Amino acid sequence: MTFSKLDRFYRGILLSRYFIKGWGTPENLKRLLLFRKVLSNRSDCFKLVGEHYPIEITKYFWRRRHLIAKPLLREAGIGSIILENPFYGFRKPVYQMRSVLNNVSDIFVMGGCLILEALVLFHWCTKHGFGPLGVSGLSMGGHMASLAATNWPFPLVLVPCLSWSTASGVFTEGVMSRAINWDMLEFQYKENEAFRTELYKMVQIRESDAFQAGKEFVKNFPESMLHLKEHGPGLDTKKEISVSKSALFPINQKLTKFLKMNTEPVSDLTNFSLLLEKVFHPKYIDRSSISSNKQETINFMRGIMDECTHLKNFSVPVDTSLIISVCARDDGYVPRDGVTDLSEIWPGADVRFIDAGHVSAFVLHQKEFRQAIIEAFERYRSKYMLH
């Protein structure tokens, strides 16, 4: 996928940097990683919040009320409760600047809180006779909505917008990766052995860019993979990989163009993986230009993000036919290359694309988001309320 130029430009003019205080303490990260295993199990998580848990309603979010909530009420009679994320708005710590998180661990605290708070709201709505229920959000809010939906043991409308299946690529591959204080993270990772030993063993990298790219390569290049197996370590990809289906598969065109510009032979499968990384992420992944310490730091970031945010690690929503995901095709903030498709994790989910980047989709396509929400509720109504 290509990244929107507007996404690159917009992120480039912002001066804010994320995680300026580092990872957070190893002790807190360990507790969060262990707690994730509870949150990711629907039956265990559901027991943590009683149906009579009290709530407090506040009145903020002017933009969300006027762009999403009020139009939904006017157009389809859908009411909204707008939940403010921890670390955002009036819920941010006094020492935090705007919504820029100080520690990597903050994002996991945010996700855990939101999952439990969503359960409180679901219980409250059910108790007062409101329904059917659904959740939606944009960008990080879209992913948080997805996490919240995993632990409600009843059919639930879910419309995540401008998000995907994990947050790992957001912070290691997309335009946001340029706004992270990698020097601080690398220093802490190198200095504190707990990160490199105990914590590293607790995380699992769900996705590998080269592995996922390889899956696509195998799917579209069966003949070429036979060549690779037949010719072994001495394969020169420039000579051996011939593309007879380039008109049918865009991925083939991309690889063909790259091979014409590069004459380096692929001496083994490791180099073959690096080649695939260069093909699919020519600007945001260049393993040869960074130190081994920094690469290990990036790997740890990817692993810890996958461990705590990857939807594969959470329960599947009860009815995936009620899910409509709206994505930006050229999203520079939420890369999809090398990441498991939502429809693979949640079979039956409807994944749609807007021809825009992250920023332009947010500004210009609010109507499409509302239409997806309305359609998802209509699906619920026709499936569960008209019989």
Side-chain angles (χ1 to χ4, degrees):
M1 64 179 283
T2 58
F3 286 175
S4 161
K5 292 181 180 179
L6 178 59
D7 288 351
R8 295 175 188 264
F9 173 77
Y10 181 76
R11 181 58 252 180
I13 63 175
L14 297 178
L15 300 179
S16 55
R17 302 193 74 193
Y18 283 76
F19 311 139
I20 58 173
K21 294 189 177 181
W23 300 100
T25 67
E27 294 77 16
N28 284 344
L29 281 170
K30 181 179 179 180
R31 292 171 61 193
L32 289 167
L33 289 169
L34 292 173
F35 188 52
R36 196 280 301 168
K37 297 182 183 299
V38 178
L39 291 177
S40 61
N41 184 292
R42 181 184 294 130
S43 59
D44 291 341
C45 183
F46 189 71
K47 298 173 184 176
L48 297 178
V49 178
E51 59 180 299
H52 301 297
Y53 201 92
I55 67 171
E56 177 184 357
I57 304 296
T58 57
K59 298 179 180 179
Y60 301 110
F61 291 111
W62 181 93
R63 183 172 55 196
R64 291 167 179 81
R65 281 191 286 120
H66 287 273
L67 295 180
I68 295 290
K70 286 187 176 181
L72 282 176
L73 184 61
R74 182 174 60 251
E75 296 167 6
I78 298 174
S80 301
I81 297 176
I82 304 175
L83 175 59
E84 185 172 64
N85 261 345
F87 298 93
Y88 274 64
F90 286 87
R91 301 187 67 185
K92 74 177 182 64
V94 293
Y95 53 82
Q96 178 181 299
M97 183 180 67
R98 298 194 299 276
S99 59
V100 181
L101 302 179
N102 288 321
N103 300 290
V104 174
S105 59
D106 292 345
I107 197 170
F108 308 137
V109 174
M110 179 196 302
C113 287
L114 191 134
I115 288 172
L116 297 176
E117 290 170 355
L119 285 177
V120 173
L121 292 174
F122 294 154
H123 278 304
W124 184 86
C125 289
T126 302
K127 179 181 177 181
H128 289 82
F130 296 114
L133 302 180
V135 283
S136 182
L138 276 67
S139 193
M140 182 181 288
H143 194 76
M144 293 296 172
S146 297
L147 294 176
T150 62
N151 284 321
W152 186 241
F154 307 101
L156 184 75
V157 166
L158 170 60
V159 184
C161 303
L162 307 183
S163 63
W164 201 233
S165 53
T166 177
S168 61
V170 173
F171 296 105
T172 61
E173 308 294 344
V175 296
M176 283 281 289
S177 64
R178 303 290 181 89
I180 291 176
N181 189 351
W182 288 109
D183 291 338
M184 169 68 78
L185 295 177
E186 181 183 358
F187 174 78
Q188 291 183 356
Y189 183 82
K190 182 180 179 181
E191 290 296 309
N192 195 322
E193 187 178 357
F195 290 113
R196 305 191 309 276
T197 55
E198 186 176 10
L199 288 173
Y200 198 92
K201 294 176 182 178
M202 295 178 68
V203 303
Q204 176 184 6
I205 300 178
R206 277 286 188 176
E207 311 289 1
S208 165
D209 296 315
F211 175 71
Q212 290 293 335
K215 285 172 62 179
E216 292 293 324
F217 184 79
V218 171
K219 182 168 63 177
N220 295 331
F221 282 79
E223 302 91 343
S224 298
M225 292 308 296
L226 289 175
H227 277 300
L228 180 65
K229 183 176 180 180
E230 178 181 349
H231 291 275
L235 172 65
D236 182 336
T237 56
K238 185 172 184 293
K239 296 179 180 178
E240 296 295 340
I241 296 182
S242 59
V243 182
S244 59
K245 302 180 181 179
S246 60
L248 298 178
F249 299 105
I251 190 174
N252 293 12
Q253 297 172 351
K254 198 171 187 180
L255 186 60
T256 304
K257 181 179 179 181
F258 178 84
L259 292 174
K260 288 180 179 178
M261 298 171 59
N262 290 266
T263 58
E264 298 177 5
V266 177
S267 59
D268 53 37
L269 289 180
T270 300
N271 286 342
F272 182 65
S273 295
L274 291 175
L275 179 144
L276 288 173
E277 288 180 343
K278 290 180 181 179
V279 172
F280 290 96
H281 294 286
K283 293 185 178 180
Y284 285 85
I285 299 181
D286 186 0
R287 309 301 191 199
S288 62
S289 65
I290 59 178
S291 67
S292 59
N293 285 334
K294 180 158 289 187
Q295 182 58 59
E296 193 171 345
T297 304
I298 294 173
N299 288 343
F300 182 67
M301 172 70 85
R302 193 174 188 89
I304 200 170
M305 285 290 172
D306 274 346
E307 183 69 27
C308 292
T309 71
H310 203 300
L311 296 177
K312 275 186 177 180
N313 289 333
F314 292 81
S315 301
V316 176
V318 172
D319 187 347
T320 56
S321 70
L322 302 178
I323 301 172
I324 301 178
S325 175
V326 185
C327 308
R329 195 176 303 278
D330 300 323
D331 199 323
Y333 281 79
V334 187
R336 296 184 304 278
D337 284 350
V339 179
T340 305
D341 194 292
L342 273 177
S343 59
E344 292 184 31
I345 302 173
W346 294 338
D350 183 354
V351 180
R352 302 175 180 179
F353 292 93
I354 297 171
D355 289 325
H358 194 90
V359 175
S360 57
F362 186 89
V363 174
L364 302 175
H365 294 274
Q366 295 283 333
K367 184 177 181 180
E368 283 90 333
F369 303 147
R370 296 197 303 270
Q371 288 175 338
I373 294 170
I374 293 170
E375 183 179 337
F377 273 102
E378 284 298 321
R379 290 183 184 180
Y380 185 106
R381 182 173 177 271
S382 63
K383 189 170 185 177
Y384 293 103
M385 300 177 69
L386 296 181
H387 301 291

